[in-house]
């Protein structure tokens, strides 16, 4: 089975109504050109944008009639709407047709103290609402230097897989391996390191269920840019990329997408 590549742009806390409009218009026209250039373009990949929640409505307005999906970078850990000031529920994201939501990004783990348990609550709430979680995992520089990277990410995965709510027959989730030292540093992990880690993740999925392991996409994130994407995206077990900085301009985002061809 070949897994379609997922090319996902994580805008983080960037954008404005005006900038986004320019982006979406560029994205729509440039992606249309690409889909003419490669006539089976969307059989090979899916483009997806992760906007600040406030701009989800705008993303929906521009992208709902296109092949490009969209979602947000966070969701509340509360299943039902209620007295949770400042939070945004999965039901609200669903209202605006979010297909995916990023959870467990290292910036939220490190800056906002999100724990594996808290992230697991979000994971299951998203699945219950038919929104596909993109679960970010990754080791720190220190853990990497101490050769503990794989042990750390397996532990982060176990917070989901060992949870009684985990259904090993439900392949509706995506894993994004993002070494923390590679995020925003300009220095991506080497192809060898990405390959080793993705293989370890795939093996862990195989232990759970062979069918799950066939279906679940494993993305790489951390300083992916047009200059290194061809090398990274064509490795075995790399099913796409989670792109921060280089997703803020339609041309660099799409140059990364084009590198899979
Ligand atoms: P970066 O961010 O591409 O700017 O390194 C990736 C991410 O944090 O998802």
């Amino acid at each position: 089975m070949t897994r379609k590549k997922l090319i996902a742009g994580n805008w983080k806390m960037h954008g404005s109504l005006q900038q986004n409009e320019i982006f979406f218009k560029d994205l729509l026209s440039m992606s249309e050109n690409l889909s003419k250039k490669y006539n089976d373009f969307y059989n090979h990949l899916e483009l997806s944008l992760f906007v600040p929640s406030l701009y989800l409505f705008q993303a929906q307005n521009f992208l709902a009639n296109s092949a490009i999906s969209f979602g947000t970078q966070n969701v509340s850990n509360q299943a039902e709407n209620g007295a949770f000031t400042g939070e945004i529920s999965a039901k609200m994201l669903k209202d605006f047709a979010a297909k995916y939501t990023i959870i467990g990004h290292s910036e939220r783990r490190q800056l906002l103290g999100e724990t594996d348990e808290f992230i697991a609550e979000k994971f299951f709430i998203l699945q219950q609402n038919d929104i596909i979680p993109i679960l970010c995992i990754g080791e720190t520089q220190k853990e990497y230097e101490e050769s503990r990277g794989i042990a750390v990410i397996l532990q982060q995965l176990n917070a989901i897989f060992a949870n009684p709510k985990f259904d090993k027959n439900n392949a509706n989730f995506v894993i994004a391996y993002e070494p923390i030292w590679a995020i925003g540093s300009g220095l991506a992990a080497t192809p060898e390191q990405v390959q080793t880690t993705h293989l370890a993740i795939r093996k862990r999925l195989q232990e759970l269920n062979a069918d799950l392991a066939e279906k679940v996409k494993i993305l790489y994130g951390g300083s992916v840019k047009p200059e290194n994407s061809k090398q990274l995206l064509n490795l075995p077990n790399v099913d796409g990329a989670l792109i921060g900085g280089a997703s803020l301009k339609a041309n660099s985002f799409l140059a990364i997408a084009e590198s899979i061809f």
Side-chain angles (χ1 to χ4, degrees), residues 10 12 105 107 178 182-185 221-224 242-246:
N10 172 14
K12 309 194 179 184
H105 192 282
E107 286 151 16
E178 299 205 305
I183 295 175
S185 67
S223 296
V224 177
L242 186 55
I243 308 151

Side-chain angles (χ1 to χ4, degrees), residues 2-117:
T2 50
R3 288 173 295 270
K4 205 189 256 199
K5 304 265 191 216
L6 178 59
I7 308 297
N10 172 14
W11 282 3
K12 309 194 179 184
M13 199 169 75
H14 291 288
S16 69
L17 281 175
Q18 205 186 359
Q19 282 169 12
N20 304 348
E21 181 169 337
I22 296 169
F23 178 95
F24 289 130
K25 285 180 176 162
D26 284 351
L27 179 72
L28 287 168
S29 68
M30 291 180 194
S31 60
E32 170 137 4
N33 290 341
L34 282 182
S35 68
K36 285 183 190 142
K37 185 168 167 190
Y38 305 97
N39 58 16
D40 51 357
F41 187 67
Y42 287 111
N43 289 334
H44 293 279
L45 59 75
E46 177 179 352
L47 300 172
S48 200
L49 267 307
F50 294 84
V51 299
S53 301
L54 207 53
Y55 297 124
L56 191 57
F57 188 44
Q58 192 189 17
Q60 186 191 25
N61 279 339
F62 275 99
L63 303 178
N65 295 322
S66 77
I68 303 170
S69 60
F70 49 88
T72 61
Q73 307 158 17
N74 188 30
V75 65
S76 168
N77 70 326
Q78 297 294 327
E80 299 302 329
N81 292 348
F84 304 105
T85 302
E87 289 296 270
I88 296 177
S89 68
K91 287 186 183 7
M92 294 171 186
L93 301 183
K94 193 75 193 163
D95 230 0
F96 292 93
K99 179 171 176 185
Y100 303 92
T101 291
I102 296 171
I103 53 170
H105 192 282
S106 60
E107 286 151 16
R108 298 196 64 83
R109 290 178 190 260
Q110 294 198 315
L111 302 173
L112 298 157
E114 291 199 6
T115 62
D116 281 338
E117 294 67 33

Side-chain angles (χ1 to χ4, degrees), residues 1 8 10 36 39 41-42 54 77 90 127-128 139 146 149 166 169-170 196 208 218 229 234 240 242 248 258:
M1 178 185 152
N10 172 14
K36 285 183 190 142
N39 58 16
F41 187 67
Y42 287 111
L54 207 53
N77 70 326
Q127 281 195 331
Q128 279 154 21
E139 79 282 4
E146 293 170 356
F166 182 69
N169 298 310
N170 183 354
T196 308
L208 296 167
I218 308 172
S229 57
N234 292 304
L242 186 55
L248 295 172
E258 196 176 359

